[in-house]
Amino acid sequence: MTGGGLLVAGTTSDAGKSVVTAGICRWLVRQGVKVAPFKAQNMSLNSFVTREGAEIGRAQAMQAQACRVEPTALMNPVLLKPGGEQSSQVVLLGRPVGELSARGYHGGRQQQLLGTVLECLAELRGTYDAVICEGAGSPAEINLRRTDIVNMGIARNAGLPVLVVGDIDRGGVFASFFGTVALLSREDQELIAGFLVNKFRGDVSLLEPGLDMLHDLTGRRTYGVLPFRHGLGIDEEDGLRISLRGAVRESEVSSPFGEDVLRVAVCAVPLMSNFTDVDALAAEPGVVVRFVDRPEELADADLVVIPGTRGTVRALEWLRERGLARALVRRAAEGRPILGICGGFQLLGEQIEDDVESRRGQVEGLGVLPVRVRFAREKTLTRPTGEALGERVDGYEIHHGVADVTGGEAFLDGCRVGRTWGTHWHGSLESDGFRRAFLREVAAAAGRRFVPAPDTSFAALREEQLDRLGDLIEQHADTDALWRLIESGAPQGLPFIPPGAPA
């Protein structure tokens, strides 16, 4: 027996598809429904390692948490990791299979993956009562429709009803809803069940006449109007869209538990990956996290974090071009705290030998840590567990670089020299005891009277956030109508809206 399903599409990228999908998943699981998330193809530099050692998008890992199930490669069979403007690494069923240009991928390779994608979806639907699928970008990208495997391509092949999400905070949501439907073929339009308004501010009664007119124009209803809420974003797909001047996730900094705040500056390196590592720092009361791209912005920072990157050598060049490299070396010599994670750890070393990622051969690192890095063709994908600063630490590794540590104090899989720490482990700061111990060391080195709160649980905060998403769906969407869609598919007899897809 095949479980029910729904595809959550969007009028644009960043319309709220990931958040709505997670919210629907959490609402369903609270109703006793066995549910799983699915995204056929994800383009993201923020990824996660499953227990079986497969790499998938972090958004799907968080959606799996919303479903209270373990994430697997089936939930995100195709992951594209950009390596620049023109090419991406293709990760298939959790393992890298090569680099392709955008033209090469859309020119044939993408369509070849449709069978694999449909098999993964069918396996999930055979196991779960419902599968909530997330689209990508917009289903009305008419230049890509022929090879599409993530929006209407999969909806048509799997017979999924489609809910279109629009971000009203951007403006133009009615035109976006209407235009999305009107640019689809008759067969695709038959699956567009209706709309969901996201990020509405104000009096809903003022919006209702527009929703009625939209129904008259399209024959399709609106399934809910979700109010704007701060700090509800789950792990985003793309770090390149983050504001350099904004706090993480628009989060409000709670009052410090001690007398001082702690200021964290994150270097916004090119192709920044897994910047979600710093979310656990931002969750601590009194910790202020910001992204920076100028050396003077490091001056008042108590801790500087160099995050992961899909281009270690490129990030190293960027740091040198901007004067950040000199500031970091000077900072290390002064004994002021620096934490390098994954690519950020690699570039703090003495030398990088890269014939895989940048193909630049031997490149001199910043020389802050006694480490030499050689890039291997095989990617390391693991979920290690260990101990540091007297506390248990869990993490995950995603990297081609193999580090040869020749000195310093041991620190997870990397090392520490003075107040500079380096490790390949992502997610280590989510271990509450370790994070507190680390922040105490940082505060002591910075001369701050900062004290970590003794009861901050990052896992509990995540659960609370997912419950808030479930509450949004339960309180502001027509959940009975949503369940009918999931169980029975799109309504019959939906009208065709001209002009339809171009020939």
Side-chain angles (χ1 to χ4, degrees):
M1 181 179 176
T2 299
L6 175 70
L7 175 70
V8 178
T11 55
T12 61
S13 294
D14 207 29
K17 296 183 293 291
S18 297
V19 167
V20 169
T21 300
I24 293 174
C25 286
R26 177 48 60 102
W27 159 66
L28 284 171
V29 81
R30 293 195 309 206
Q31 308 310 306
V33 177
K34 189 180 178 185
V35 59
F38 179 78
K39 185 161 186 173
Q41 170 198 296
N42 199 343
M43 178 171 279
S44 177
L45 286 169
N46 284 331
S47 57
F48 182 76
V49 180
T50 67
R51 291 204 184 280
E52 69 266 31
E55 185 179 9
I56 66 172
R58 275 197 67 95
Q60 279 60 65
M62 284 292 284
Q63 288 162 356
Q65 185 175 343
C67 298
R68 298 183 179 137
V69 298
E70 271 294 321
T72 73
L74 293 173
M75 296 170 183
N76 179 208
V78 181
L79 173 64
L80 305 178
K81 303 194 72 175
E85 296 297 324
Q86 300 295 327
S87 67
S88 294
Q89 183 180 66
V90 181
V91 179
L92 179 62
L93 292 174
R95 294 288 171 181
V97 294
E99 297 271 341
L100 275 179
S101 67
R103 181 173 293 278
Y105 184 68
H106 290 288
R109 176 61 168 158
Q110 185 181 34
Q111 191 65 20
Q112 294 170 9
L113 297 173
L114 178 61
T116 299
V117 162
L118 290 171
E119 288 171 6
C120 291
L121 177 57
E123 186 169 340
L124 288 174
R125 293 182 77 182
T127 305
Y128 292 88
D129 301 328
V131 178
I132 308 303
C133 308
E134 181 188 340
S138 161
E141 290 166 349
I142 53 180
N143 55 315
L144 303 177
R145 175 62 186 90
R146 183 177 60 84
T147 56
D148 170 50
I149 64 170
V150 65
N151 290 307
M152 300 313 299
I154 193 165
R156 282 269 295 279
N157 278 280
L160 295 172
V162 180
L163 183 70
V164 181
V165 177
D167 180 355
I168 198 169
D169 200 46
R170 296 181 174 192
V173 75
F174 292 116
S176 298
F177 281 145
F178 183 86
T180 296
V181 179
L183 279 176
L184 300 178
S185 69
R186 185 180 299 274
E187 293 80 7
D188 285 353
Q189 287 192 25
E190 289 174 355
L191 294 172
I192 303 293
F195 314 106
L196 187 80
V197 177
N198 192 28
K199 295 186 182 178
F200 180 73
R201 306 173 191 247
D203 186 348
V204 176
S205 66
L206 298 176
L207 184 67
E208 287 170 350
L211 301 179
D212 292 339
M213 287 184 264
L214 182 66
H215 182 272
D216 293 341
L217 286 166
T218 66
R220 290 159 175 85
R221 59 166 298 177
T222 298
Y223 284 78
V225 178
L226 307 186
F228 185 94
R229 294 285 187 270
H230 279 285
L232 283 183
I234 64 170
D235 293 358
E236 276 103 345
E237 294 181 352
D238 192 353
L240 302 179
R241 285 202 297 269
I242 224 159
S243 166
L244 294 182
R245 303 291 173 261
V248 179
R249 292 281 189 284
E250 301 180 321
S251 58
E252 296 179 4
V253 178
S254 303
S255 299
F257 187 77
E259 295 180 50
D260 286 349
V261 298
L262 207 64
R263 295 173 177 85
V264 178
V266 184
C267 294
V269 295
L271 299 174
M272 183 167 48
S273 62
N274 288 68
F275 66 90
T276 47
D277 283 329
V278 300
D279 282 358
L281 295 178
E284 281 286 347
V287 176
V288 183
V289 178
R290 58 199 171 109
F291 290 82
V292 303
D293 62 351
R294 296 194 297 255
E296 58 268 28
E297 294 176 301
L298 304 187
D300 67 344
D302 302 309
L303 169 67
V304 173
V305 177
I306 312 173
T309 170
R310 173 90 159 90
T312 301
V313 171
R314 181 176 166 185
L316 190 54
E317 292 172 342
W318 181 85
L319 291 170
R320 286 180 169 136
E321 288 166 3
R322 290 180 169 263
L324 283 159
R326 287 192 302 274
L328 287 166
V329 171
R330 185 169 59 249
R331 183 183 179 90
E334 293 169 352
R336 302 181 65 201
I338 300 171
L339 172 63
I341 303 173
C342 201
F345 163 47
Q346 294 167 4
L347 59 81
L348 286 169
E350 297 167 347
Q351 189 178 80
I352 298 168
E353 184 179 335
D354 181 12
D355 295 317
V356 176
E357 196 173 75
S358 69
R359 297 182 175 86
R360 293 284 297 277
Q362 286 195 357
V363 177
E364 185 180 345
L366 295 185
V368 174
L369 293 176
V371 176
R372 289 175 173 259
V373 177
R374 176 184 55 82
F375 274 66
R377 298 202 175 276
E378 188 72 20
K379 183 184 280 192
T380 297
L381 295 167
T382 63
R383 291 268 293 269
T385 296
E387 186 176 299
L389 306 182
E391 299 286 347
R392 175 190 167 93
V393 187
D394 296 311
Y396 59 99
E397 296 185 55
I398 306 170
H399 55 92
H400 284 280
V402 178
D404 179 18
V405 179
T406 59
E409 297 177 48
F411 177 68
L412 301 177
D413 72 324
C415 67
R416 167 188 183 172
V417 173
R419 300 297 183 184
T420 300
W421 296 264
T423 176
H424 275 127
W425 290 23
H426 294 290
S428 63
L429 294 167
E430 295 177 18
S431 298
D432 297 328
F434 167 71
R435 182 180 65 253
R436 292 182 195 119
F438 178 71
L439 290 176
R440 281 194 290 269
E441 286 220 12
V442 168
R448 296 284 185 193
R449 289 172 296 180
F450 169 86
V451 179
D455 56 353
T456 302
S457 166
F458 188 67
L461 288 172
R462 271 187 164 169
E463 276 296 301
E464 180 184 311
Q465 185 184 47
L466 291 169
D467 276 330
R468 290 174 68 197
L469 293 178
D471 292 343
L472 273 184
I473 297 299
E474 189 168 333
Q475 296 166 12
H476 300 281
D478 186 338
T479 52
D480 288 340
L482 274 180
W483 178 246
R484 285 195 296 273
L485 276 186
I486 293 166
E487 195 173 37
S488 305
Q492 296 296 306
L494 293 170
F496 172 71
I497 308 302

